Amino acid sequence: MEFTLNGYYTLILATLVLLVGKFLVKRIKFLSDFNIPEPVAGGLVGAAIVYALNVMFGYSFNFQKELQTACMLMFFASIGLSADFSRLKAGGTGLVIFLVVVSAFIILQDVVGVGMAMALGIDPLLGLVAGSVSLTGGHGTAGAWGATFEDTYGVVGATTLGIACATYGLVSGGIIGGPVAKRLIGKLGMKPQEAAATATASNARSLDGAPNKTDNDDYSGEEIFEKADNVRLITATSAVETLALFAACLAFSDIMVGVAKGTWFELPQFVWALFGGVVLRNALTNIFNFDMFDRAIDVFGNAALSLFLAMALLSLKLWELADLAGPILVILLVQTVVMVLYATFVTYRIMGKDYDSAVLAAGHCGFGMGATPTAIANMQAITDRYLPSHKAFLIVPMVGAFFVDIVNVAILQGFIAFIA
């Protein structure tokens, strides 16, 4: 028996999933320690219930796709609207070099994924899913590309696998970052500091990625998309202005999908939403000196991502994964080893072979396999025991929060054009 739920019931169930996820993350230490997102924790429970109903009673559920798509587009528009390229100046040469290092790793990650998929006899596009789509990209990117792979290329279970791979990446990224940095710092002859130095590191970190900043000009770094529960001081006027910007990005994406259809620059709609946000942000701020309200963008972006993930996970068909679980796990284990080696022998060395570069390597493990919150947690664990790293806490949040998503989209388009 098949049930179809309209937008109202879909939204109600999505919010219930988020509440369940919030409860689970607060009560289960493992989930909080590894920064598992609340929508993922609750969504997997919802997906398991849907699976059980299908197995026991033959029930299946269809949720309104339009609402899920709108939330996805809003999230990617929020990334674009936050991508102020003038912030590259704040990071200096180190930020540009790190972005190049990360971009090269994304290419390697996809080469490994596609190569392993072909060797294991599965669709090469699933190799991308177990590559930068879910690992560097995270849950939001995994859900978006998964839907594209399913609808456009007929890849069964791409969304389900993407969410599963992204969850694996969050956990593994949190596990490997600390040991990698500890080994590198040990080679420098440094030892953990006493409590006084730890306090100094904590104070320095509050300057690098301060969670209590209120000035809009300083609102950047760790807080963007990473501290969803922090209080954001927004007004009705700023909310309306921000919604107008989102509407412009979504309208632009809708227009461009029609314009580009059948041409060489045909792209998924969420890519156009992201690109529209980038253009709008930098045009308004650099040409018209418009004061973008980042806090409102952050709030709407986080809310849209949470709802999108909740709805995507409710729509999962876990029974489609049985034949792919083994090969995908092999690919993910290889990706983990590649991340450790790359962070140790490439990220660390190119970024200077010093303490800051060791902390950067830990951060790269975090968002190279999982997400920026994992990167921040990895770096905090290191600086709590050793010394502050202003350079790492300036560079990693800016690269991981939005610049890497833009680069990842471009690289994925190239791979898809080659193998699809």
Side-chain angles (χ1 to χ4, degrees), residues 314-392:
L314 280 172
S315 303
L316 294 184
K317 294 179 173 59
L318 296 176
W319 50 91
E320 295 177 347
L321 286 179
D323 295 334
L324 294 170
I328 292 296
L329 180 59
V330 172
I331 296 174
L332 291 175
L333 292 173
V334 172
Q335 294 281 27
T336 305
V337 174
V338 170
M339 179 75 258
V340 170
L341 295 175
Y342 192 91
T344 302
F345 296 105
V346 180
T347 305
Y348 172 69
R349 293 187 178 186
I350 291 181
M351 295 309 298
K353 292 194 294 186
D354 55 12
Y355 174 73
D356 285 327
S357 63
V359 180
L360 282 169
H364 192 189
C365 287
F367 73 78
M369 289 296 294
T372 310
T374 308
I376 298 298
N378 284 352
M379 296 192 301
Q380 286 176 342
I382 298 301
T383 55
D384 280 344
R385 296 193 64 204
Y386 293 91
L387 296 170
S389 177
H390 178 80
K391 180 179 179 180

Side-chain angles (χ1 to χ4, degrees), residues 37-122:
E38 293 170 2
V40 174
L44 290 175
V45 172
I49 293 173
V50 171
Y51 175 71
L53 291 173
N54 179 269
V55 171
M56 292 188 295
F57 305 108
Y59 295 160
S60 63
F61 298 87
N62 294 319
F63 301 93
Q64 190 186 60
K65 197 76 172 177
E66 291 78 7
L67 182 60
Q68 179 180 330
T69 301
C71 289
M72 176 187 71
L73 295 176
M74 282 188 66
F75 166 63
F76 280 95
S78 70
I79 294 175
L81 289 169
S82 299
D84 188 347
F85 288 125
S86 65
R87 288 176 181 162
L88 284 167
K89 298 178 183 178
T93 305
L95 187 146
V96 176
I97 295 174
F98 188 66
L99 184 57
V100 172
V101 169
V102 169
S103 301
F105 176 72
I106 294 174
I107 296 173
L108 176 61
Q109 200 170 56
D110 286 334
V111 168
V112 171
V114 172
M116 288 290 298
M118 295 175 68
L120 294 169
I122 61 177

